């Protein structure tokens, strides 16, 4: 039996890795829907090549161009947020949620409400709406499968166990490109240096998040929601080789780790056929070539983003939404050359201190709060640049 797949964010790094696996196993999968923000040509080409039934472009102004790209096919072209939600809630069995940022929240929630199996790469959606998403999944019967390599590792190590038997979760972090840089060196880094990750090839936003280590902060919040473990029992350990993707410590003192190559196709393959395993053509991890595994304590002074995320999770309510929104704005400003690298975390901290909003009670309230926090952060960027 083939599994019907929709990919939200098909043109991105995770989206392309997902297509690569799916197209190598055509007897196992059927692509039903693909979406993208603005890359019409790539979207049309992918839809034609995979025989998708629906292609959705987020930017409505690009719909005529998408229609043109799909002329002579039976592929339905659509645009805008309603169409994105329809792609997520349509006939797919499994929805790969690979949009970057809080922009992916509404389509992810559409998939959750429709009771889908949701392969979640879009960590910002869970960070901003964790409790609401879990409630909705419990009501609809949706299954959330973690794609993020650390959370996928923990999911594999837990193998269904939860409760008192689980003592700690240990998230590994590569430390990013500036692991051994001084604060003075980090003050001068360029966007090109920040997106050049030592171990992983990823989209620009998550690459910068890895460089500030906000990525690990977001992953701490993500782990808390996915596995129901309080933040005090989630550790972050720097492991520069990115071979151990994360670990679980159990009550009896056993520790289980998941190891593998630094290739997102491994965790993606795991969720695509879960609970079965599919074969992949990924280069195998060579333990003898790797030789050693190093572990270091994270430095929250040079990388304050981890502390900010832990504080935001502790504060709860609006704080994780503000943390995420301010970070998205700050990262975009850094990539545009408007602010310096250390300003990213500083700006997030200022936004967290400036905003005292009530806890959002619905996804609509999350979206309103996200917009408000973006406006506050954008104003801070403008003042900084002035
Ligand atoms: P990317 O920038 O390469 O791709 C993002 C995708 O989302 C693209 O298809 C883009 O068209 C679409 N998109 C962007 N903005 C949109 C919007 N406003 N509306 C609709 N679609 C939009 O990003 P990525 O690296 O593939 O990351 C995707 C998600 O997966 C992120 O949340 C990231 O944190 C997470 N993730 C990525 C990796 C990785 O290796 N790349 C690893 C772990 C987790
Ligand atoms: Mg990760």
């Amino acid at each position: 039996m083939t599994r019907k797949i929709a990919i939200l964010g098909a043109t991105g790094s995770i989206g392309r890795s997902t297509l690569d696996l799916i197209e190598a196993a055509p007897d196992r999968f059927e692509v039903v829907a693909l979406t993208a923000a603005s890359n019409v040509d790539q979207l049309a080409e992918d839809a034609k090549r995979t025989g998708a039934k629906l292609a959705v472009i987020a930017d409505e102004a690009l719909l005529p161009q998408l229609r043109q790209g799909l002329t002579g096919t039976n592929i339905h072209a659509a645009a805008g947020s309603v169409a994105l939600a329809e792609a997520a809630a349509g006939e797919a069995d499994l929805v790969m949620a690979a949009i970057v940022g809080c922009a992916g929240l509404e389509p992810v929630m559409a998939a959750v409400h429709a009771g889908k199996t949701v392969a979640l790469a879009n960590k910002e959606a869970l960070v901003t709406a964790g409790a609401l998403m879990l409630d909705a999944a419990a009501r609809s019967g949706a299954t959330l499968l973690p794609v993020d390599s650390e959370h996928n590792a923990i999911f594999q190590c837990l193998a269904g166990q939860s409760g008192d038997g689980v003592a700690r979760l240990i998230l590994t972090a590569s430390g990013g490109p500036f692991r051994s840089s001084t604060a003075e060196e980090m003050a001068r880094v360029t966007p090109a240096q920040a997106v050049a990750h030592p171990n992983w090839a990823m989209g620009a936003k998550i690459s910068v998040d890895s460089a500030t280590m906000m990525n690990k902060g977001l992953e701490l919040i993500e782990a808390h929601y996915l596995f129901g473990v309080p933040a005090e029992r989630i550790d972050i350990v720097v492991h520069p080789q990115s071979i151990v993707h994360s670990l679980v410590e159990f009550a009896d003192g056993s520790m289980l780790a998941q190891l593998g190559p630094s290739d997102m196709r491994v965790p993606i393959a795991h969720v695509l056929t879960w609970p079965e395993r599919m074969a992949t053509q990924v280069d195998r991890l060579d333990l003898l070539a790797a030789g050693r595994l190093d572990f270091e304590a994270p430095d929250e002074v040079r990388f304050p983003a981890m502390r900010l995320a832990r504080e935001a999770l502790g504060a709860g309510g609006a704080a994780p939404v503000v943390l995420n929104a301010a970070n998205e704005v700050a990262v975009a400003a850094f990539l545009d050359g408007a602010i310096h690298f250390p300003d990213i975390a500083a700006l997030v901290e200022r936004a967290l201190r400036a905003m005292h909003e009530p806890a959002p009670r619905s996804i609509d309230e999350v979206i309103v709060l996200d917009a408000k926090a973006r406006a506050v952060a954008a104003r801070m960027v403008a003042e900084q640049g002035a």
Side-chain angles (χ1 to χ4, degrees):
M1 234 185 57
T2 60
R3 192 168 278 190
K4 293 181 178 174
I5 312 283
I7 307 177
L8 311 175
T11 54
S13 165
I14 294 288
R16 305 216 65 68
S17 293
T18 306
L19 281 171
D20 183 60
L21 289 163
I22 287 176
E23 292 186 66
D27 50 325
R28 297 191 84 129
F29 305 108
E30 181 189 345
V31 175
V32 292
L34 298 176
T35 84
S38 57
N39 192 342
V40 179
D41 297 339
Q42 187 68 57
L43 178 63
E45 189 189 313
D46 291 342
K48 286 191 279 198
R49 204 183 58 251
T50 57
K53 296 179 181 167
L54 172 65
V56 179
I57 195 83
D59 183 348
E60 295 187 54
L62 295 171
L63 182 56
Q65 211 178 313
L66 180 61
R67 286 213 175 99
Q68 198 176 5
L70 295 174
T71 41
T73 73
N74 291 323
I75 304 166
H76 182 64
S81 54
V82 173
L84 275 181
E86 281 168 5
E91 60 169 311
D93 305 311
L94 181 142
V95 177
M96 170 55 73
I99 291 174
V100 60
C102 193
L105 178 56
E106 280 189 278
V108 168
M109 288 306 298
V112 168
H113 284 304
K116 303 295 184 191
T117 296
V118 181
L120 191 74
N122 185 194
K123 66 189 81 182
E124 297 90 348
L126 195 65
V127 166
T128 54
L132 295 166
M133 194 186 293
L134 293 180
D135 279 357
R139 266 180 278 122
S140 71
T143 304
L144 294 181
L145 298 177
V147 173
D148 213 347
S149 56
E150 297 76 4
H151 306 75
N152 185 268
I154 290 169
F155 180 72
Q156 294 196 43
C157 295
L158 284 171
Q161 265 187 274
S162 62
D164 290 347
V166 178
R168 309 189 76 75
L169 307 182
I170 298 148
L171 293 169
T172 54
S174 69
F178 310 131
R179 180 174 61 87
S180 350
S181 305
T182 64
E184 292 71 32
E185 286 164 348
M186 281 198 278
R188 292 190 303 267
V189 303
T190 64
Q193 289 169 319
V195 297
H197 196 278
N199 303 344
W200 299 93
M202 308 182 286
K205 193 263 177 182
I206 184 176
S207 296
V208 176
D209 284 346
S210 300
T212 60
M213 296 193 75
M214 179 59 88
N215 185 48
K216 219 45 59 179
L218 298 176
E219 291 184 353
L220 170 82
I221 301 174
E222 185 184 10
H224 165 72
Y225 285 119
L226 282 174
F227 306 116
V229 173
E232 310 81 71
R233 291 199 279 122
I234 307 175
D235 292 344
I236 296 172
V237 168
V238 174
H239 165 50
Q241 291 94 351
S242 298
I243 289 173
V244 176
H245 296 305
S246 279
L247 312 88
V248 176
E249 182 192 311
F250 293 91
D252 58 11
S254 282
M255 262 190 186
L256 292 185
Q258 186 259 358
L259 286 70
S262 310
D263 188 325
M264 284 306 294
R265 287 176 300 177
V266 176
I268 295 171
H270 177 255
V271 299
L272 282 178
T273 55
W274 180 83
E276 289 169 24
R277 299 262 183 184
M278 68 184 281
T280 72
Q281 301 307 312
V282 171
D283 286 343
R284 272 19 190 185
L285 168 62
D286 182 341
L287 285 175
L288 297 180
R292 55 186 286 172
L293 304 173
D294 293 310
F295 300 96
E296 308 166 359
D299 181 346
E300 291 196 357
V301 177
R302 278 184 307 134
F303 299 100
M306 282 178 289
R307 168 180 59 81
L308 295 174
R310 209 175 266 281
E311 283 172 13
L313 179 58
V321 183
V322 174
L323 173 94
N324 178 71
N327 183 58
E328 287 193 35
V329 170
V331 169
F334 168 69
L335 287 172
D336 280 349
I339 62 172
H340 298 292
F341 185 76
D343 298 336
I344 299 172
L347 201 138
V348 172
E349 181 149 28
R350 278 175 62 208
L352 281 168
R353 302 278 175 267
M355 291 191 71
H356 302 282
E357 298 290 319
R361 289 159 304 179
S362 65
I363 296 299
D364 287 347
E365 289 187 5
V366 171
I367 289 163
V368 169
L369 176 60
D370 171 68
K372 202 167 174 177
R374 276 169 200 278
V376 168
R379 217 164 36 242
M380 289 175 173
V381 168
E383 286 163 11
Q384 190 118 2

